[in-house]
Amino acid sequence: MKIVDSYSAGETFELGRQIGQRAKAGEVYTLIGDLGAGKTVLTQGVAAGLGIEEPVNSPTFTIVQIYEEGRLPFYHFDVYRIGDVEEMEEIGYEDCFYGEGVCLIEWANLVQEILPQSYWQITIEKDLGKGFDYRRITIEERRKEGLQ
């Protein structure tokens, strides 16, 4: 587990950029945090680290946005408005989760049951006592128990 203290959107973006630079094909990252916590800023950093230059915004109404111009395909999911997991099946999530690209899933706690056996969980938390722009970012590798 790694814990990072971020004191600005720029620092959060930079952490995302570092994650994107190190990301490998087939990796899945989940992003947990309240509205306004900085999930999109971190995601934009990941995209930059993958070499994606086009604007990256949260795909709130399309569920997934696909970027193919970087060193690896980047699948950016926002499942905040998803009704049930069947919607994920309809858009072919398995091709993204188990493909040759990198997945990042905002609000992944809503689709916990379909996450792969192993993934990276990134949690962003505000602490107004440490400043308006402060974020505590926890990165940890997660493995589902009982699956072989």
Side-chain angles (χ1 to χ4, degrees):
M1 179 179 354
K2 178 180 181 179
I3 297 174
V4 177
D5 294 314
S6 172
Y7 292 91
S8 69
E11 287 181 12
T12 300
F13 180 92
E14 178 58 26
L15 175 63
R17 192 181 65 73
Q18 292 171 13
I19 291 168
Q21 288 175 328
R22 294 184 189 123
K24 297 179 184 78
E27 287 185 329
V28 173
Y29 293 85
T30 65
L31 202 44
I32 310 293
D34 293 335
L35 286 169
K39 295 184 299 296
T40 300
V41 170
L42 189 120
T43 300
Q44 290 167 338
V46 171
L50 287 167
I52 295 165
E53 296 179 8
E54 68 181 277
V56 172
N57 295 303
S58 195
T60 302
F61 296 103
T62 57
I63 301 177
V64 65
Q65 190 72 35
I66 300 171
Y67 303 90
E68 297 188 23
E69 76 202 37
R71 66 178 179 84
L72 294 167
F74 181 48
Y75 308 107
H76 178 204
F77 288 84
D78 182 331
V79 298
Y80 183 72
R81 297 193 190 293
I82 201 155
D84 59 47
V85 174
E86 287 180 12
E87 288 181 57
M88 292 291 285
E89 292 170 1
E90 290 171 14
I91 61 170
Y93 80 91
E94 289 178 326
D95 292 339
C96 300
F97 283 21
Y98 302 103
E100 293 301 311
V102 174
C103 282
L104 190 143
I105 309 156
E106 294 188 42
W107 302 99
N109 50 310
L110 301 175
V111 294
Q112 190 77 34
E113 62 268 31
I114 63 169
L115 293 177
Q117 180 179 351
S118 178
Y119 59 93
W120 292 95
Q121 179 172 296
I122 302 170
T123 305
I124 304 176
E125 300 167 291
K126 296 180 190 180
D127 182 345
L128 295 178
K130 293 185 178 184
F132 181 76
D133 292 325
Y134 173 82
R135 302 295 186 265
R136 179 178 195 240
I137 303 170
T138 306
I139 304 167
E140 55 189 326
E141 188 171 8
R142 303 293 296 254
R143 292 191 178 278
K144 292 184 176 181
E145 297 298 321
L147 299 176
Q148 297 299 330

